[in-house]
Amino acid sequence: MVKKNEDLGNGNYWITLVAKDWQDGPELLLKPAPNLFEPSKVYQDALLEAGIPYTQFLVEDLAAEFDRLVTIGVSFTLKPSEMGNVKMAIFNDECGNQIQLVEELQ
């Protein structure tokens, strides 16, 4: 969930995200905006071209998280798949990044 969303002017925002059930936990800062910082855009484009996710998050139940995200309209480029000792899925964050979700298998 969004914790901070501050307009800094000139199309720049200070946006942080936290877990809904742990609002005083770690905050994820979304920056820099690739469209406003060319080196970041070059890096983002290279990751997309290589098929490498921008980042990944560990989840406890990939099937449940996949279903929840699909229900709210998230588009996946890789549906949940087993690969070795993990299950993983990849979605597009609509900002030009692919995000990987991983569940460790026991």
Side-chain angles (χ1 to χ4, degrees), residues 4-54:
K4 295 178 185 161
N5 185 354
E6 299 176 23
D7 186 345
L8 302 176
N10 297 321
N12 296 299
Y13 291 84
W14 185 269
I15 300 173
T16 64
L17 305 175
V18 295
K20 187 163 102 174
D21 57 347
W22 193 15
Q23 294 182 27
D24 291 326
E27 286 182 60
L28 177 64
L29 173 63
L30 304 178
K31 91 175 217 189
N35 294 332
L36 302 174
F37 184 62
E38 185 60 27
S40 182
K41 182 65 177 159
V42 170
Y43 176 68
Q44 180 187 51
D45 290 344
L47 287 176
L48 278 172
E49 185 176 317
I52 299 172
Y54 183 78

